[in-house]
Amino acid sequence: MNNVARNVERVRERIGEAAARAGRDPDEVLLVAVTKTQPVAAVIAAYEAGIRHFGENRVEEGEEKIPAVNSVLRSGDSHLGSDCHLVIWHMIGHIQSRKAQPAVAHFDYVHSIDRLKIAHRLSNFACQLGRTLPVLLECNISGESTKFGFDLMGWEQDTARRDAFLAAVEEILALPGLDVQGLMTMAPLVDDAEETRPVFAGLRALLEMLRERFPTHEWRHLSMGMSDDFEVAVEEGATMVRIGRAIFGELR
Ligand SMILES: *Cc1c(COP(=O)(O)O)cnc(C)c1O
């Protein structure tokens, strides 16, 4: 077994253990392997280890890598036949407005709807392609100015902030090209992963609030947890974890 395959196996075990601690079914947690900065060969190694969901945080990188990976899978070089249609590409990073069109063209799923404007643009391009794009709303729960996302620090007390978000959500839910499936967040970098727990619990509480406010809409997903904190995120209800370094090694 190569390193990537071993790491994928270990991450799956750790997800299973965290799910068990929380009394959850580990099959509820989708593992998205984050391939930013990684070469096509590393993506193929992860594919051969059973990964079908991949994440990139820059549209430009995806525009190059996704067709390159798909052509390898289509040629059968992966020894697994031509099933590149089974691969789902997730856009997990901030999308500049001028990159909305290639984002829709190359990606299957977007985690990073962080403002109204990008929601409108992605919806328009998805409609032009006759598609509905599944998306998540990125929420900045920790209040760090370096993070993108709807500003939701302290939303439980701050009703003005909560209401501004609810108005944005209502507008986004009405867009014909998007299928809003849940929420995404990034926890702050901390020494002890345990410190991230309030952020993940806060995102779950926000999803529950949205379920009450928009009861006819299906609020399914919580995308939260990265290499350093995914076990805490799974304990707090993550349905998608986005893992780079724990699978591919430190960033190159
Ligand atoms: C890079 C990245 C990840 C994965 O981070 P690791 O610490 O390498 O697991 C997850 N989410 C986003 C938005 C990222 O940019």
Side-chain angles (χ1 to χ4, degrees):
M1 232 195 290
N2 61 32
N3 282 340
V4 167
R6 234 187 336 265
N7 292 344
V8 165
E9 190 166 288
R10 184 66 194 126
V11 167
R12 288 203 190 283
E13 280 168 8
R14 290 169 62 191
I15 289 171
E17 288 158 9
R21 283 195 294 278
R24 300 184 60 206
D25 177 354
D27 291 344
E28 291 172 10
V29 185
L30 179 71
L31 174 54
V32 178
V34 177
T35 52
K36 67 184 181 206
T37 76
Q38 297 296 331
V40 170
V43 182
I44 299 300
Y47 178 89
E48 291 183 335
I51 297 286
R52 292 296 179 272
H53 291 260
F54 296 100
E56 286 285 336
N57 72 333
R58 290 177 56 243
V59 176
E60 291 87 339
E61 200 173 333
E63 283 178 275
E64 289 190 8
K65 199 179 296 179
I66 293 169
V69 168
N70 286 348
S71 84
V72 172
L73 294 179
R74 228 177 266 125
S75 73
D77 283 359
S78 69
H79 321 294
L80 290 168
S82 56
D83 45 359
C84 63
H85 59 279
L86 293 177
V87 170
I88 306 292
W89 286 93
H90 297 248
M91 178 61 207
I92 61 174
H94 176 68
I95 305 173
Q96 292 172 284
S97 293
R98 63 186 180 82
K99 285 290 174 184
Q101 185 166 33
V104 174
H106 289 279
F107 287 89
D108 306 292
Y109 204 108
V110 171
H111 293 227
S112 42
I113 300 287
D114 55 9
R115 61 201 190 284
L116 274 172
K117 183 180 178 190
I118 200 68
H120 281 272
R121 288 183 70 89
L122 292 174
S123 175
N124 286 342
F125 288 121
C127 287
Q128 281 176 22
L129 293 175
R131 284 177 55 201
T132 308
L133 185 67
V135 301
L136 305 173
L137 308 179
E138 181 171 355
C139 298
N140 182 346
I141 301 274
S142 61
E144 283 177 292
S145 59
T146 53
K147 295 230 184 319
F148 290 104
F150 291 96
D151 176 12
L152 284 150
M153 189 180 65
W155 64 272
E156 279 155 308
Q157 291 79 39
D158 189 336
T159 52
R161 198 166 276 181
R162 190 193 60 202
D163 291 348
F165 179 60
L166 287 171
V169 171
E170 195 161 2
E171 189 170 330
I172 295 170
L173 289 180
L175 295 175
L178 303 185
D179 172 19
V180 180
Q181 300 197 340
L183 304 177
M184 179 272 230
T185 201
M186 289 178 78
L189 275 181
V190 290
D191 291 332
D192 177 4
E194 198 53 43
E195 293 173 41
T196 62
R197 192 177 295 278
V199 171
F200 297 143
L203 195 71
R204 188 187 53 191
L206 191 60
L207 193 80
E208 278 158 17
M209 189 269 282
L210 291 172
R211 282 185 176 134
E212 281 178 22
R213 287 303 186 100
F214 303 97
T216 60
H217 189 80
E218 189 179 355
W219 297 97
R220 197 179 328 158
H221 285 298
L222 286 173
S223 169
M224 55 190 198
M226 313 191 346
S227 291
D228 292 331
D229 55 26
F230 70 90
E231 288 151 304
V232 178
V234 168
E235 287 170 13
E236 293 300 330
T239 64
M240 296 181 177
V241 291
R242 311 177 307 269
I243 312 284
R245 289 169 302 127
I247 292 176
F248 298 107
E250 290 301 316
L251 282 186
R252 295 134 44 88

